[in-house]
Amino acid sequence: MASIKSVAVILLLTIFSMSVTAKSYYISSTGNDQNTGLSPVSAWRSISKVNSHRFNPGDSILFEGEQVFQGSLYFHRDNLQQGTHPVLISSFGPGKATIAPDTSYGLYAYNVAYLEISKLILSGSGYQTNQNSGILFYNDLPNNTKLQHVRIHDVEVTGFRDAGIAIGSWNGNSGYSDVSITNAVVHAVGSEGITSWGYFDQRKKGYSHQSIYVGNCHVYNIYGLQKKDKHSGSGIVLSDVDGATIEHSVVHSSGANNLHCGGPVGIWAWDANAVTIQFNEVYNMQAGSGCDGGGLDLDGGTTNSVMQYNYSHDNDGPGFLVAQFEWARPMHHNTIRYNISQNDGRKNNYKGISLWVADFNNSGGINNLYIHNNTIYADGAIVPTGGGLRVMSSGLHNVEVWNNIFYTENGAALLAVEDTTNLISFGNNSFYSKGAPPKFNWGDKTYTSLEQLQKVTSMITASELFMRKPKLRKAGKGKTIGYTGELVSSKAYKLKAHSPLNGKGVWPEQLQFNPGQHDFFLNPLPLKKPLDVGAHQRTR
C-alpha cells in the first residue's frame, strides 16, 4: 500500500510541476524582442523571436489579435520539446492575429506534433506568387513513426500556392495520428484546400496516417494550378489514411484553372481505408480544361468507406464518383447511400453517379460497391449531358444499385452503361423521365422502355416502380444551403404523403450490406420493415 501511495504522490507532483513550468508567451506589435514575453506588457515583437525560442509541453504562444505579424512560423525538434501536453498557438485579446509570410509557408511543423493552432489568420502573398502551403505538418522520421495530436481550429487560410492546410509524410508509413481540423475557412489557394498525403506505392501495406477528422470547414476558390501532369483545385482530399471523417463542411467554386484529367473534386478520398464522408454540401466545382470537377468521390484504392447524407449540385463532374485509377491498391466494400444530387454533370457526359475503372494495372477493378437510397435529379435543359447513373468502363464486380430514385427531365439519360459485361445488379429503383421519353444508353444503343431494356440484359429486374412519378415535393428546386447544419431543412427532395415509392424499398440487409441508422433528413429507418425508395424515409 505504501508503494502505491508513493507512486500517486510522485504522479501528482509531476503533474503539478508540469502545470507550474508551462508558460504563456505573448507577441505584440508594440512589443520588444528583448522582453521576457511572459505578459502582454512585456511581449515580444517578432516571429523570428518565436522561432528562436525553445518551447516546452503545455506552453502557449499568443499573438495580439487584429495585428499583422510578418514572417513564417517554424517548429521542429530543436525549438519544440515533445510531450503529452500540447503547445497552443493562438491569439490574445479581441479578434484574430494575422501571420503574413509573403511567399513562404504560414506555419511549418517538421517532425513534431502535440500542437494546437487556433484563432489565427494565415495570409500569403497570393496563389500566383506564393510558393508554399498555409499550414504544413510534415513527418519523414524513420521506423513508421506516428506523431500524435494535431489540432487546427477556427483559422482562416488564404493566399497560398500549394495547400491551405496539409498533413504530409514521405517515409514508409511514418505520419500523423489523431488529427482534427475544425471550423477552418480556406480560400483563394492554388492547389488544394485541406489535404493529407503520404508515401505511395501500390505494393504498400498499411497507411501513413490514422484518425483524421475534418469538420465544419468552408473551402472555396481553390483555383487550381495550370499543370498538365497533376490535377489541382480540390477542396478537401485525404489520402494514405486509415480511419477518417469529413463532415458538416461546404466546398464550392473551385478548380477553374485545372488542366489535368483526373481531378479536381470537391471532397474525396483515395488510397484510404474506413473513411466516412457525410453531411456535406458541394457545388459549382469546375473541371477547367481537364476532367472531373465533381462533387464527392471515393477514388483509387479506397476500401470500407462510405459517402452518405451529402448534397451535391451544379458541378461540372458527377455528384458522386467511384474511380479506380492505374497502379492503385485494391478497391472494395464501399457504399454510396442517402445522398442527393441535383443537376450535376455539366461537362464531359458525367451523371449524378459515375463509375470508372482504368483499363490496366487496376488491382482487379471495383469490387463490392453498394449504391442505395440516393435521389438523383437532372434536367436536360440545364445539363444536356447530365443524367442519372453512368458506368464508364468495364472492371466492376458485385455492384448493387437498389432503392434509388433516378429522375430526369427534358431528355437527360436515366442510365448510361457503356460496358455491359460488368457484374451489376439493379433493383427496386425508381426511373422517371418528365417531358421526354425515357432514355437508357446501353452499350452502343439507346432504349426508351423497360421492356426493350430487359430483352438485352438481365441486370435490371422487373419493377412496378418503373416510370411512376415519384411525387417529390419540388424536384429540381433544391437551393444552395451554405450551412450544412440546415441540410435537413431542405424539402425539395422529400416524398409526398401519397408517393408510390413509400414502403417499396428493399431492406439492405437482405442484400448483405448495412443501411445505416437514418435517412438524409435524419429520420430513423424502420428496422426490418420495407424502406421507402430514395433519400427520404417518411415517418408514419
Side-chain angles (χ1 to χ4, degrees), residues 142-175:
N143 303 320
N144 299 327
T145 301
K146 296 285 194 297
L147 298 174
Q148 297 186 10
H149 194 91
V150 174
R151 299 288 183 271
I152 302 171
H153 174 73
D154 190 20
V155 299
E156 180 180 354
V157 184
T158 183
F160 293 90
R161 175 179 174 82
D162 293 332
I165 300 172
I167 308 297
S169 62
W170 202 258
N171 191 351
N173 279 332
S174 289

Side-chain angles (χ1 to χ4, degrees), residues 510-522:
Q510 296 172 301
L511 304 171
Q512 298 182 340
F513 55 92
N514 182 353
Q517 299 294 317
H518 54 77
D519 72 352
F520 179 92
F521 301 97
L522 303 183

Side-chain angles (χ1 to χ4, degrees), residues 175-310:
Y176 290 87
S177 177
D178 186 22
V179 176
S180 175
I181 303 170
T182 53
N183 294 85
V185 178
V186 181
H187 63 101
V189 169
S191 190
E192 287 93 26
I194 299 172
T195 186
S196 73
W197 46 270
Y199 178 75
F200 174 71
D201 189 323
Q202 186 185 36
R203 300 161 297 181
K204 179 179 173 181
K205 304 296 182 182
Y207 299 88
S208 295
H209 310 298
Q210 294 176 335
S211 302
I212 296 180
Y213 178 82
V214 179
N216 295 289
C217 293
H218 184 189
V219 181
Y220 64 99
N221 288 350
I222 310 302
Y223 298 112
L225 302 176
Q226 295 182 336
K227 294 182 176 181
K228 293 185 178 180
D229 62 340
K230 183 183 183 300
H231 59 78
S232 62
S234 291
I236 302 172
V237 49
L238 300 183
S239 70
D240 210 346
V241 58
D242 185 8
T245 298
I246 306 170
E247 65 180 5
H248 299 295
S249 295
V250 179
V251 176
H252 64 92
S253 307
S254 297
N257 294 338
N258 174 67
L259 299 179
H260 189 267
C261 200
V265 176
I267 299 175
W268 58 302
W270 65 276
D271 197 42
N273 179 60
V275 177
T276 299
I277 302 174
Q278 61 184 5
F279 303 113
N280 304 290
E281 180 180 13
V282 181
Y283 63 95
N284 193 32
M285 286 298 301
Q286 300 162 61
S289 59
C291 300
D292 288 355
L296 304 100
D297 172 22
L298 298 178
D299 217 282
T302 299
T303 57
N304 303 303
S305 296
V306 59
M307 292 188 290
Q308 59 187 5
Y309 321 129
N310 301 288

Side-chain angles (χ1 to χ4, degrees), residues 507 524-532 537:
W507 184 253
L525 303 184
L527 294 178
K528 305 304 180 183
K529 295 181 180 179
L531 298 177
D532 294 344
Q537 178 69 40

Side-chain angles (χ1 to χ4, degrees), residues 80-92:
L80 187 67
Q81 175 68 37
Q82 294 291 273
T84 57
H85 287 63
V87 170
L88 172 67
I89 308 164
S90 188
S91 298
F92 74 91

